[in-house]
C-alpha cells in the first residue's frame, strides 16, 4: 500500500487548541477557590448549590474545555474531517463556554437565578453548535474507525446531556416537565459523565494508547462495541426512571461493568508496552484508570450495602479519573503540538519534546495529584478537610498552569524564527 | 550518474516521541543527492506533514506485518515508488 494521502489543512492552528487547554488550569484555580469558600457541611450534599457550582466548574470548565479543544485537534487529524475556519469557531465557542460556565456557577454560588437564563443560552448555544458541527463532520467521514465512531457516540452523548440540562433548568425554574426532577438531574449527569466524557476518553484511548505507548491494540470487541453500548444503555435507561427504579439500577450496573472492563483492559495494555519506560503521563493514565475501576467498584458496593459513602467515593473517584486522563493527555499532546508546529514552520533550533514540559516540572504535579483523593475521601468523614483538599487542588492547578504556560511561551519564542 | 546515497533509520518499537524526533533530525541531512529510508511501526502522519511543509518528497509502503517503509528525498527526479519495491512486495 502506498502513501495514504495528506492535506496540509489537516492540522488546525496551534492557537485553537492552546486557547482551550490554557483555560483548564484557570478553571482549576476557580474550582479550588469555590471549594475553599464553600460550606464544608454542604459539600457532602450533591444537591447543595456550593456542590453543584464545584461540579460544574470541574465538568464544564475543566473537562469541557479539554474535550472541545481535543475534538478540534482530533477531527481533522485523526478522522480526516476538516473544520472550516477553526480559529473563528474556536474563539466564539471558547468565549461562550467560559462566560456561560462562570455565569452558571455564579448563579449557584451567589443565589442569583437571573444569571441562569444567560448562562443557559451561552452554554446551549456554544455546546449545541459543537454537537451539530462535530457530528455532521464525523457523519461524512468515509472510513469510520472505532475512534471515529467513539467520537460520534461521545458527541451524541453530549447532545443528550445538553437536552436534559435544558429540561433540568426548566424544572428548576418552576416549569412542569412531567418528569421527576431528581430523575431528570440524574439522567443529565449520566449523559454528561458517561455518555460524553467517559466515551470520549475511550475513543481517544483507542487511538493514543497504542500510538504513544507502543502497546498491542485493544480487542476489536472493546473498540467496536463499548462506546455504543454505553450510550445505548443510557438512552434505554431513561423511561425506567418513571417505570422502575430497580431497572435503573441494573442499567447503572451494566455501565459500571463496561467502564470497569475498559479500565482493566487499558491497564493491561499499558503493562504490555514494548519498552516499559514509565514517565509522568503513564503514571497519570494508570492513576486515572485505577480510579475508574475503584469508582465502578464503589458503585457496586453502594448497591450492595446502600451506604452513601460508597456512592460519594465513587463519584469523587470518577471525577479524579477524568482529571487524571486530561492531565496525562495534555502533558503528552501540548509538547508534541509545540514541537510539530515549530518543525512544520522549519524552526531549526526547535527544542526536543522532553524539554518543552520537562519531567521535573511534571513530577511535583503528579505527587500533589496523588495526595488529592486521600484528602478528598477523608473530607467525607471530616468536612474541614475540604479546605486542605481545596489548597492541594489550588497548588495542583498552579503547577499544571505553569507547565502549560511554559510550553506556550516556548512556542511563541520560536514561532517566527522558521525558515518558511 | 553516481549511485543514490541512502541514509537508513529504523525506529520500530520506539516510544513516542522518539521516532518523530529521530526522523526529523535525519531529514535535516537530506540534500539533492541522497534519500532517507525510514522503517517505522505505524504510519507517521505528523512526520509526513512536516516533510510536506518542508518541501521534502516522500512515498511509503506497508509490509504484510503492518510496518512501514518510507523514503524521503529533496531530489525531484528520484523514482521513490520503484525504490520502494525492494522493501515491499507491491
Amino acid at each position: 500500500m502506498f502513501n495514504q494521502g495528506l492535506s496540509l489543512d489537516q492540522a488546525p492552528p496551534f492557537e485553537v487548541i492552546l486557547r482551550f487547554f490554557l483555560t483548564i488550569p484557570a478553571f482549576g484555580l476557580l474550582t479550588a477557590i469555590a471549594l475553599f469558600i464553600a460550606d464544608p457541611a454542604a459539600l457532602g450534599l450533591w444537591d447543595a448549590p456550593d456542590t453543584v457550582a464545584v461540579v460544574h466548574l470541574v465538568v464544564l470548565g475543566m473537562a469541557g474545555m479539554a474535550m472541545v479543544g481535543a475534538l478540534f485537534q482530533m477531527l481533522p487529524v485523526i478522522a480526516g474531517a476538516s473544520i472550516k475556519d477553526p480559529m473563528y469557531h474556536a474563539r466564539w465557542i471558547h468565549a461562550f463556554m467560559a462566560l456561560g460556565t462562570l455565569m452558571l456557577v455564579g448563579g449557584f454560588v451567589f443565589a442569583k437565578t437571573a444569571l441562569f437564563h444567560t448562562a443557559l443560552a451561552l452554554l446551549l448555544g456554544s455546546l449545541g453548535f459543537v454537537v451539530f458541527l462535530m457530528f455532521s463532520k464525523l457523519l461524512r467521514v468515509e472510513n469510520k474507525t472505532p475512534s471515529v465512531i467513539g467520537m460520534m457516540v461521545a458527541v451524541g452523548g453530549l447532545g443528550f446531556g445538553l437536552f436534559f440540562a435544558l429540561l433540568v433548568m426548566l424544572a428548576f425554574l418552576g416549569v412542569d416537565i412531567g418528569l421527576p426532577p431528581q430523575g431528570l438531574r440524574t439522567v443529565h449527569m449520566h449523559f454528561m459523565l458517561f455518555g460524553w466524557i467517559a466515551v470520549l476518553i475511550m475513543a481517544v484511548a483507542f487511538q493514543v494508547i497504542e500510538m504513544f505507548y507502543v502497546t498491542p491494540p485493544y480487542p476489536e470487541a472493546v473498540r467496536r462495541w463499548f462506546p455504543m453500548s454505553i450510550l445505548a444503555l443510557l438512552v434505554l435507561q431513561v423511561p425506567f426512571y418513571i417505570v422502575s427504579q430497580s431497572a435503573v439500577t441494573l442499567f447503572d450496573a451494566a455501565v459500571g461493568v463496561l467502564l470497569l472492563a475498559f479500565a482493566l483492559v487499558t491497564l493491561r495494555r499499558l503493562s504490555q508496552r514494548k519498552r516499559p519506560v514509565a514517565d509522568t503521563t503513564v503514571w497519570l493514565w494508570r492513576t486515572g484508570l485505577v480510579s475508574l475501576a475503584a469508582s465502578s467498584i464503589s458503585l457496586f458496593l453502594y448497591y450492595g450495602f446502600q451506604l452513601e459513602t460508597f456512592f460519594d467515593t465513587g463519584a469523587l473517584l470518577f471525577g479524579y479519573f477524568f482529571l487524571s486522563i486530561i492531565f496525562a493527555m495534555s502533558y503528552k499532546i501540548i509538547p508534541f503540538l509545540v514541537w510539530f508546529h515549530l518543525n512544520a514552520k522549519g524552526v531549526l533550533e526547535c527544542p526536543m519534546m522532553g524539554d518543552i514540559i520537562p519531567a521535573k516540572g511534571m513530577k511535583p504535579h503528579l505527587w500533589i495529584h496523588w495526595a488529592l483523593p486521600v484528602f478528598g475521601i477523608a473530607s467525607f468523614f471530616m468536612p474541614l478537610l475540604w479546605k486542605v483538599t481545596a489548597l492541594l487542588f489550588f497548588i495542583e492547578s498552579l503547577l499544571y498552569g505553569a507547565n502549560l504556560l511554559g510550553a506556550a511561551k516556548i512556542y511563541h519564542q520560536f514561532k517566527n524564527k522558521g525558515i518558511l | 550518474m553516481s549511485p543514490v546515497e541512502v541514509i537508513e533509520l529504523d525506529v520500530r518499537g520506539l516510544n513516542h516521541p522518539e521516532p518523530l524526533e529521530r526522523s526529523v533530525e535525519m531529514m535535516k541531512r537530506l540534500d539533492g543527492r541522497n534519500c532517507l529510508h525510514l522503517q517505522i511501526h505505524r504510519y507517521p502522519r505528523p512526520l509526513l506533514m512536516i516533510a510536506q511543509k518542508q518541501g521534502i518528497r516522500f512515498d511509503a509502503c506497508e509490509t504484510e506485518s503492518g510496518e512501514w517503509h518510507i523514503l524521503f528525498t529533496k531530489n525531484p527526479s528520484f523514482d521513490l515508488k520503484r525504490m520502494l519495491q525492494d522493501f515491499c512486495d507491491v
Side-chain angles (χ1 to χ4, degrees), chain A residues 91-108:
Chain A
R91 275 190 188 135
W92 78 261
I93 289 169
H94 174 264
F96 277 32
M97 277 177 69
L99 199 58
T101 307
L102 290 174
M103 293 182 89
L104 185 75
V105 168
F108 284 114

Side-chain angles (χ1 to χ4, degrees), chain A residues 13 59 69 96 135 151 153 173 185 191 212 260 290 292 361 391 404 408 412:
Chain A
V59 173
F96 277 32
F135 198 84
M151 281 189 263
V153 172
L173 296 173
R185 186 212 57 178
F191 276 115
F212 283 171
L260 177 63
V290 169
L292 179 61
L391 280 174
L404 294 194
H412 285 290

